[in-house]
Amino acid sequence: MAISIDNLRKGKKYRLKNYGEEFEFQVIEMPEDGVYKVKDLTTLDTYMLNELVKYGKGKDYDLDEL
């Protein structure tokens, strides 16, 4: 069962599945409510979480804590 994006916590690691893609990331900063800067655990790139879900949530959407 997917957890809500509002339940993400700084320093915790998560896995996001959406539209057939899977991302594992760690929340590194929360500059304001609902905005999350994350670090990809595979590539070590940093980006904003809303970039991953800006096209909506697919039928396979799942967000879990690692």
Side-chain angles (χ1 to χ4, degrees):
M1 177 187 251
I3 61 174
S4 171
I5 289 180
D6 295 334
N7 291 334
L8 300 182
R9 299 291 178 247
K10 185 176 179 180
K12 299 269 185 170
K13 297 176 182 178
Y14 300 93
R15 176 181 297 125
L16 172 69
K17 295 179 187 176
N18 197 22
Y19 290 114
E21 295 184 316
E22 187 172 313
F23 303 94
E24 291 185 356
F25 61 88
Q26 179 177 14
V27 177
I28 57 173
E29 190 176 334
M30 299 182 311
E32 56 189 71
D33 286 340
V35 178
Y36 300 93
K37 185 174 183 181
V38 299
K39 177 174 75 172
D40 190 301
L41 297 176
T42 307
T43 64
L44 302 179
D45 290 334
T46 58
Y47 46 84
M48 302 306 283
L49 182 61
N50 62 354
E51 294 175 10
L52 298 178
V53 292
K54 68 181 175 183
Y55 297 113
K57 297 176 181 175
K59 293 179 183 179
D60 63 341
Y61 176 81
D62 192 27
L63 178 61
D64 294 311
E65 187 174 347
L66 295 177

